[in-house]
Every structure is written in C-alpha cells, then in structure tokens.
Amino acid sequence: TDNAQPNSIVKAVISGGTDMKTNEVFQSLVNYGAEAPFWALVKQATGYFEGESSTINKLVTHILLTATTRTLRMEYLAGLDGFISTPHQAWCYDFVSEWIVGENRQDLVEILRNVEEELILRKRFKQVPLDDLVGTEVFPCVNECILTQIMTEISNHIINVDMIINTVEKRRTLAWYDDVECYYEGILQVAKMQAFFLEHSAGFHTVEARNIWKEYTEDYYRMDTYYRHYHLAFGKSLTVGNDHLDDLFKQVTDKVEGLYTHWFLGELGNNWSDACADELAQYGRILLVPQQVDFYNQKVKNEDNRVFVIISDAFRYEVAASLAEQLRRETQSKVSLGSCAGIFPTVTKFGMAALLPHKQLSINERSNGDLQILADGMSTDAGNRDKVLKATNSNSVALKYKDIAPMRRAERSALVKGMDVVYIYHDKIDETAHTSEKLVFSACDDAISEIKNMVRIICNEFGGTRVLVTSDHGFLYTAKPLQENDKVNRSDFGGKEVEYARRYAIMQKGASPEYLMPIKFLDGTQYDGFAPRENIRIKMNGGGMNFVHGGISLQEL
C-alpha cells in the first residue's frame, strides 16, 4: 500500500472514538475479518503492538507521545516509554501535523485533552524549563504551561522582555496558537511596555513643552498603543475563557495598570503639566507647535487639487499612527503623519469649529447657559458646517460617513462632483465610548478599518489624490477608573462656572479655583479656562470615569 492509505485508515478508525464497541469504523473491520490486518498495518506504521490486548485508546496515546518526541527531549517523558517508538517518530509526527491543520481538528482537541488528563501531562510539562518547552507541539496544554510560567513571572514583577518576545514569535507558527492567541498577544504587549519602561526608567524631565511634544509624537505615544493592544487582547480573553489562564491574566492586568496609569500617565503627565503651564496660562496654546485652528488655512485653502478631509471624532494621535502604518503597508500611496495641538477645551464642539475655515472664533451663551461656538459669527453646529465651508469656498460640501458608506457608487459620486473641498465627518470612537466605555479600544480598530474604507472610496470612486485625516480631539482612557481628585469639586468654583466636565472648566472672568491650571481662553471673550493637572478628573455625577477628554494631556491634545 502507498503511504497515504495507512494514514487515512488509521485516522478513520481513531475518529470513530476510543470505545471499540461503539466505534462503527472499527466494528466494520471486525465484521469483514480485517481486524488482524488492521493491527498489522498499525504496527508497521506506528510501532504500536500489544497483540490481543491492543486498544484504540492506547494506539492514540502511542501516536501522540511518539509525535511529541520529535520536539521534546525524551528525558521529559520518562516513565511513558511504553507509549513511544522512536523509529516511527517521523510517521507519527506527520500524521498528527496533518490532522492539526485539517478540517476535523476539533475532534483531535477532545482526544488530546483526554490523553493530557489521563497521563497528567500538564503537571509534567509544568516542570519542563521554558527553553525546552517552547518548541514543543502536539498537546494544547503546552501553550497553557508556557503562558502560566510567563504570566506567573509577570505577576511576580519579573518581565524578561527578550524571552517573551522570542517565545511569542516561536509559538505563533505552532499548533493550537489560535486558541490562546489573545493571551500571547497580551504578554507580548506587556514585554513592549516593559522595554519602554526600561528605556525611560529615569522618568520624564524635559523642560520645554515643545520638546516634550516632539518626544511624544516620535516615541512616547507608543506606550498608549501598547496599552490599547493589551486591553484588546484582554477583552478577547473574556470571550475565549480559559480556566487555566484567566485568573493569571487578571493579575497581569494589575501589573499593566501600574505601568501605564501610575508610571506613564502619572510621570509624563506631571512633567507635561509643569512644562506647559506658563504657555497655556499666557497664550492658551503651546508655542512653536502647529495649531488645530490653523488647519484650514495651512492644509486646505491653497491646494491646487481637490482636498478630501476625513475628521474622525476622538481619533487620537497614537491611533492615527497605527492607521498610517497600515496605509503604508496596504496601499501604494505616500503617507505622512503629522500632529497639531487641539484647541482648548478638547471637546467636539470646539475641535470641530477649529477645523472649519474662519478668521475668528467667538462664543455665544445660549439661553440655557450652554456655550455655542461661532466661526465668523456663524453657528458651527453639525447641521451648519456645510454652510460655513461654502462661505469660504462655494465648491465645498460637508458629508457624514454614516450617510455615504451605504450609498451606491453613483449616488456618492454625485455628491462630490465639482467640489474642491470635501469634509467627511466620521464618528466611531467617541460615539462608542460615550455609550459603552469598555468598548473604546475595539472602536479604535473599527475606526481604522472604516477610514481605510473611506480612503479607498475617495481614491477609487471619487478620483481623489489628496486625503487628510484628522480629528477634533483625542482622549484619555484607563481600564480602571482614575482617581477623581478629592480636591477639585464644583463647590470650589464659587458659582462662576459656565460650563464644565471631568477635564475642563470654563468660568466667568475673575474666578480662581484652587487645584486647577489656568488656561487662557479664546480672545475677546469674557471667560477664563481651567484644567486639572495630569489625569485628574473634576468631580461630577454620571458616567465617564474611564473615557474622558476636554483637558490638556498629550493624549487629549
């Protein structure tokens, strides 16, 4: 017989189940008097033979353990020699490998789990040094043993960066990785965060605000990305559910919160608050850093070609860096990433107004006490943005991603025909975060995908060659609610507050609330702005403890 045949016969019999009486495939062999030839074929292929007392259960165990010796030293399988036939290692390994990538791989998991239980393999593999375990395939519990070892170390404050990165790289190509991918992805991000921590363990001590800005846009933002990716992985683990790993992963998460929230946001926030305080108090902006209010004049106005502007609500800098990386990888376009400082306060109505064409922004207090922001005297509310754009260039249009995504090609194209300036408003992150904070990081991924889709539509359908992606503001997010600073309370505002939220306060002139930084507000208004330092929140009722914006942190600005 050719080599394929014993393979498929053995597989068919094993798939029938280990109970020989109820295994239909095996019983049909018995009925045809083919039992003896079958065991002879098994002996030749796998080396397993126990005469009259041969069982399918033992055959399976024999094949799996013999296959395991291909990637694990024999000494770690001491006491199981009866199940191993070294000369037949190659056949058994190939047999199992083919099965793992085949259609019926889930049948195999059940079989493997039973053997793991029966031979107490998990306990055995836990004793194997990581170096020897990391190349081992076949049994799914190997992944759990590796992850348990690494996660336990992380919980005990031992984070071996290179070891973790190499382990994840190695496991990625091996069996059953997909089933525990989120846990590996999580520890990989921990390793990256630790590497960042070691690079910056002296803390953050840059004196000039513009230099911290530069360091953030070139380097520090990565920490925000690692944290986001960690929590995406952690979120997935809650839907996978692995009894051996879940509690450990929660301990690792505590470690991550310490590194990100206390060390990174705390230390960098402290340095930044100190460095930018004077400029914000005096000018209301960071000097020598591009400003959001100049966006239209600098980026849109003098272009020869049509300009498409995608404004994605709360699409902060580090998420844009991920988008830029993906566009570079996936398209033939020239991609450049820049930054500008959002207007204060970093909330939608201010940021959206700043991005529209204007000579001057001003404030109008509505009858309900709400502040409305005007561009050259015109309302900048969502419904009026098209009008504001047309006032500067009549060949302009404001569209919503939500409206045009479901349209047919012809309908969409008609909307932008003959237009020089097309503003497309996209809202995924902010909308999601304000309804369900926990989903903010997966919303960042969705936003990236939707923007890539919009870019494709602009280039392929609208013939656009110049696309700008920007945002009205960023955000701060931590998985555990940050401490609200007990000191900052509405009662300290002396009744002068006009509008405030967790990260900013706008007050009548002459207010001097304790514990808040003064921020010079828009020219020619009768208001003063204030913001809490670092990641502190102003006390108020209602949700929004994890996802906030409005303040002056690098992540929001």
Side-chain angles (χ1 to χ4, degrees):
T1 56
D2 66 56
N3 195 31
Q5 216 174 348
N7 198 328
S8 49
I9 294 169
V10 172
K11 191 167 168 185
V13 172
I14 291 175
S15 298
T18 51
D19 181 342
M20 289 155 80
K21 291 192 177 54
T22 60
N23 183 325
E24 290 171 16
V25 185
F26 185 74
Q27 284 309 322
S28 63
L29 290 176
V30 174
N31 297 341
Y32 286 112
E35 194 180 355
F38 169 71
W39 289 116
L41 173 145
V42 162
K43 180 183 178 183
Q44 186 196 341
T46 70
Y48 171 70
F49 186 66
E50 291 190 287
E52 294 294 298
S53 52
S54 294
T55 67
I56 294 173
N57 195 21
K58 283 198 174 155
L59 164 63
V60 171
T61 309
H62 173 97
I63 292 175
L64 294 175
L65 284 172
T66 300
T68 302
T69 61
R70 173 82 175 263
T71 51
L72 186 66
R73 300 222 299 271
M74 281 293 278
E75 63 192 80
Y76 297 122
L77 297 169
L80 300 173
D81 313 8
F83 293 111
I84 295 166
S85 168
T86 315
H88 298 85
Q89 188 190 71
W91 190 90
C92 291
Y93 182 77
D94 291 344
F95 176 81
V96 176
S97 297
E98 256 169 63
W99 197 348
I100 285 172
V101 296
E103 266 82 88
N104 315 337
R105 57 199 297 263
Q106 282 324 106
D107 307 345
L108 181 55
V109 174
E110 217 169 297
I111 295 169
L112 285 163
R113 290 299 196 188
N114 290 336
V115 175
E116 286 175 4
E117 295 284 301
E118 251 171 75
L119 302 180
I120 322 172
L121 290 182
R122 183 187 305 279
K123 194 174 171 196
R124 178 184 286 267
F125 290 151
K126 275 189 173 158
Q127 313 304 316
V128 177
L130 263 185
D131 284 353
D132 289 319
L133 202 53
V134 73
T136 304
E137 269 193 299
V138 182
F139 288 100
C141 75
V142 171
N143 278 322
E144 289 154 5
C145 294
I146 291 171
L147 284 161
T148 298
Q149 276 197 47
I150 294 176
M151 286 182 180
T152 305
E153 285 189 359
I154 293 171
S155 310
N156 297 330
H157 310 293
I158 302 160
I159 306 175
N160 184 334
V161 175
D162 293 341
M163 180 272 288
I164 293 175
I165 290 171
N166 295 337
T167 301
V168 177
E169 275 308 300
K170 182 108 196 206
R171 296 306 298 178
R172 214 170 245 155
T173 56
L174 301 182
W176 313 119
Y177 176 81
D178 296 354
D179 300 339
V180 285
E181 180 176 18
C182 55
Y183 301 95
Y184 278 117
E185 190 52 43
I187 60 168
L188 180 61
Q189 299 307 321
V190 176
K192 289 178 175 180
M193 290 174 91
Q194 178 71 3
F196 181 95
F197 171 71
L198 294 172
E199 269 171 58
H200 301 287
S201 54
F204 305 96
H205 308 288
T206 305
V207 178
E208 287 189 299
R210 75 191 77 135
N211 292 337
I212 302 178
W213 185 274
K214 184 173 188 293
E215 285 158 358
Y216 180 79
T217 56
E218 291 173 4
D219 175 28
Y220 302 164
Y221 77 86
R222 292 171 217 273
M223 195 66 164
D224 295 314
T225 306
Y226 302 150
Y227 182 72
R228 173 163 58 88
H229 286 155
Y230 177 83
H231 274 287
L232 280 171
F234 183 71
K236 286 200 182 101
S237 80
L238 302 176
T239 61
V240 172
N242 184 308
D243 297 341
H244 301 284
L245 301 173
D246 278 351
D247 274 2
L248 273 170
F249 210 10
K250 283 159 191 146
Q251 287 175 356
V252 170
T253 302
D254 292 339
K255 192 70 197 117
V256 164
E257 297 309 305
L259 256 182
Y260 180 72
T261 306
H262 299 296
W263 177 73
F264 179 69
L265 289 183
E267 297 276 315
L268 178 59
N270 198 359
N271 179 209
W272 173 246
S273 303
D274 287 346
C276 68
D278 291 347
E279 289 181 9
L280 289 178
Q282 203 178 338
Y283 307 104
R285 60 190 172 88
I286 313 298
L287 301 181
L288 298 176
V289 163
Q291 297 296 312
Q292 186 181 36
V293 285
D294 301 325
F295 173 80
Y296 189 91
N297 281 345
Q298 289 182 354
K299 301 281 181 189
V300 181
K301 196 173 168 184
N302 302 319
E303 275 301 313
D304 310 335
N305 292 350
R306 327 162 59 185
V307 183
F308 291 86
V309 178
I310 300 172
I311 302 173
S312 184
D313 204 319
F315 196 74
R316 69 180 182 182
Y317 181 83
E318 60 91 8
V319 186
S322 296
L323 169 68
E325 204 176 295
Q326 292 180 33
L327 285 169
R328 274 189 203 107
R329 231 186 8 248
E330 296 164 18
T331 67
Q332 300 304 306
S333 47
K334 182 171 169 287
V335 181
S336 63
L337 174 66
S339 68
C340 67
I343 191 175
F344 174 81
T346 47
V347 293
T348 301
K349 65 181 172 186
F350 282 87
M352 291 302 188
L355 293 167
L356 289 167
H358 61 269
K359 292 189 180 64
Q360 195 187 11
L361 295 176
S362 58
I363 297 288
N364 171 35
E365 201 171 333
R366 299 188 210 234
S367 52
N368 64 358
D370 229 18
L371 296 183
Q372 186 188 25
I373 179 159
L374 309 174
D376 302 335
M378 290 178 281
S379 155
T380 58
D381 297 353
N384 211 47
R385 291 174 195 156
D386 187 67
K387 192 176 153 190
V388 177
L389 285 170
K390 285 182 162 67
T392 294
N393 177 341
S394 54
N395 293 333
S396 305
V397 65
L399 303 168
K400 283 193 176 131
Y401 175 80
K402 267 203 183 81
D403 297 340
I404 56 181
M407 284 183 182
R408 296 195 177 130
R409 268 181 97 129
E411 290 178 89
R412 279 200 284 243
S413 297
L415 293 175
V416 303
K417 195 173 189 301
M419 295 297 163
D420 301 329
V421 176
V422 181
Y423 268 44
I424 298 163
Y425 291 94
H426 174 262
D427 186 0
K428 186 70 183 189
I429 299 172
D430 203 67
E431 180 187 44
T432 304
H434 286 302
T435 42
S436 174
E437 290 187 289
K438 289 272 174 267
L439 297 175
V440 60
F441 285 151
S442 53
C444 291
D445 272 6
D446 294 343
I448 289 174
S449 304
E450 290 180 358
I451 292 170
K452 287 196 297 192
N453 182 43
M454 193 62 240
V455 168
R456 187 186 55 76
I457 290 170
I458 290 168
C459 299
N460 297 351
E461 298 180 22
F462 301 163
T465 54
R466 183 158 175 74
V467 185
L468 297 164
V469 181
T470 189
S471 184
D472 52 347
H473 59 77
F475 64 86
L476 268 174
Y477 177 87
T478 51
K480 291 203 167 81
L482 279 174
Q483 89 281 2
E484 285 200 49
N485 191 320
D486 298 333
K487 298 168 184 165
V488 187
N489 213 325
R490 184 180 172 169
S491 58
D492 301 343
F493 294 170
K496 286 189 176 284
E497 68 275 10
V498 180
E499 179 175 311
Y500 74 102
R502 294 196 184 276
R503 294 284 296 157
Y504 72 97
I506 295 166
M507 305 200 185
Q508 302 292 354
K509 282 249 189 274
S512 56
E514 274 193 279
Y515 314 117
L516 292 178
M517 295 168 59
I519 318 272
K520 181 178 184 290
F521 197 53
L522 286 173
D523 281 337
T525 66
Q526 70 273 37
Y527 307 108
D528 285 330
F530 297 91
R533 291 175 55 92
E534 287 102 47
N535 333 314
I536 295 163
R537 275 86 160 134
I538 294 170
K539 288 188 117 172
M540 58 191 292
N541 300 331
M545 278 307 291
N546 305 60
F547 172 89
V548 288
H549 56 85
I552 52 101
S553 73
L554 290 156
Q555 289 78 3
E556 294 163 289
L557 279 174

